Amino acid sequence: MAFLMNPRQRRFFEVLGLDLAGFPVSNHGAELGPKSMSLSSAVPQPSARPPSNLPHPAPARIEPVAAEPEREDVRAPASANECSADNVGVDEQSRHAIAAMDWSTLKDSIAACRACSLGNTRQNAVVGAGSPTGSWFFVGEAPGAEEDRRGEAFVGRGGQLLDAMLAAMSLSRTRDVYIANVLKCRPPNNRDPQGPEVQSCLPYLERQIALVQPRIVVAMGRFAAQSLLQTTTPIGQLRGRVWEYRGIPLVVTYHPAYLLRNPLDKRKVWEDLKLALSVYPKDSPRTDAMA
């Protein structure tokens, strides 16, 4: 069966610089919603419930591993001893408090957070963007310069590429998707996140996912994937299969900012997005189990 692209999906291919030869274009379906995605003819149909036998990576402390840089002007990854428990900026009592916060309290807490040194160097804390009731949850790494200046998530060049990705999936940032980063504050000079910074911010991200109650999570970049899956496995080995985060299907792909520097990997992202669409549990009911 031929894969008919709607104009928005064709635009995504063009943004990624991919070869369109052999792909007929449909003039219909430009405004398809997430429940009637035209990509269904190109990927397997999703099951009614999230798979119950999804693989779990072995638990491990979060330690960045050697891999391609995913953001601009990054430094060497954090050393292993920076991830030790003695350096974690959020104690157990604070973690329990964050896990019970509503949206308003959570946003105020993030804005006032000084659990790590990034609170002293940022311009604005960046909570997230999109719909707090979205069925898709995209996780990035950390705010960039433009995000730090405006206090909004994914508004720079990487954000523009992410918008093209969402449009190709017939998803709306304001209706279907919530977007957040592992870190809520920009690291100086866009360097890699350090272990204590990730550990300090992770409870906020976990609470955001619990409040949104998404049906699927897309982890963009190695820091997002390793943080949520609690593993040091390289991103190249995490891609291409479906994982599970607290009962929710999770798919790993490259960060949009990484793609701006490594355009040859853009086709891999398209494959990751098709995988995410194929396992999206459209018919499974949302519950309050995680709230």
Side-chain angles (χ1 to χ4, degrees):
M1 180 181 295
F3 173 26
L4 296 179
M5 292 187 297
N6 65 44
R8 300 173 81 180
Q9 291 160 359
R10 181 181 180 87
R11 174 57 182 161
F12 175 65
F13 269 72
E14 293 171 345
V15 169
L16 297 186
L18 301 180
D19 184 9
L20 295 175
F23 288 91
V25 179
S26 170
N27 292 323
H28 301 287
E31 301 299 328
L32 288 176
K35 294 185 179 180
S36 59
M37 299 172 184
S38 62
L39 287 174
S40 59
S41 62
V43 297
Q45 294 300 307
S47 59
R49 299 175 180 271
S52 59
N53 59 345
L54 300 178
H56 294 267
R61 292 182 303 175
I62 303 170
E63 302 176 30
V65 297
E68 305 94 344
E70 296 171 359
R71 304 175 70 229
E72 298 182 15
D73 302 321
V74 297
R75 67 163 201 174
S79 60
N81 61 5
E82 289 181 312
C83 298
S84 67
D86 294 338
N87 290 324
V88 175
V90 176
D91 57 31
E92 197 64 25
Q93 183 177 359
S94 298
R95 290 175 183 273
H96 284 300
I98 293 171
M101 290 178 178
D102 58 19
W103 272 115
S104 177
T105 307
L106 184 68
K107 292 176 181 178
D108 290 344
S109 181
I110 292 173
C113 182
R114 295 294 187 274
C116 72
S117 61
L118 296 183
N120 300 320
T121 59
R122 73 187 185 204
Q123 293 187 55
N124 291 288
V126 180
V127 177
S131 171
T133 59
S135 57
W136 290 73
F137 200 114
F138 282 71
V139 181
E141 176 182 315
E146 187 65 17
E147 288 81 5
D148 180 54
R149 185 181 69 83
R150 295 170 53 176
E152 301 176 29
F154 281 88
V155 293
R157 293 176 60 211
Q160 295 172 6
L161 181 54
L162 176 59
D163 285 342
M165 293 161 57
L166 297 177
M169 300 170 73
S170 297
L171 297 176
S172 165
R173 181 194 277 236
T174 58
R175 183 189 65 232
D176 309 308
V177 176
Y178 191 82
I179 308 166
N181 288 305
V182 175
L183 298 191
K184 308 308 180 188
C185 302
R186 180 197 180 200
N189 300 315
N190 282 10
R191 63 157 169 76
D192 281 1
Q194 297 176 0
E197 296 164 356
V198 172
Q199 296 285 12
S200 296
C201 268
L202 192 56
Y204 290 122
L205 175 63
E206 292 173 341
R207 185 55 184 161
Q208 287 177 296
I209 296 176
L211 288 170
V212 174
Q213 301 176 43
R215 297 180 181 176
I216 190 168
V217 175
V218 178
M220 300 182 293
R222 61 189 174 103
F223 285 97
Q226 291 174 350
S227 297
L228 291 176
L229 295 176
Q230 292 288 284
T231 183
T232 58
T233 303
I235 187 172
Q237 297 178 28
L238 295 175
R239 287 184 55 257
R241 58 191 301 186
V242 182
W243 302 94
E244 183 180 87
Y245 171 81
R246 300 186 180 182
I248 305 172
L250 184 149
V251 173
V252 176
T253 192
Y254 291 114
H255 193 284
Y258 167 80
L259 294 180
L260 294 174
R261 297 172 58 89
N262 299 270
L264 294 181
D265 284 333
K266 291 177 179 178
R267 184 177 292 276
K268 296 180 181 178
V269 172
W270 183 244
E271 295 302 320
D272 296 335
L273 298 181
K274 290 195 295 183
L275 174 62
L277 288 168
S278 74
V279 299
Y280 173 75
K282 298 178 184 177
D283 301 323
S284 64
R286 292 164 66 98
T287 70
D288 296 329
M290 294 180 58

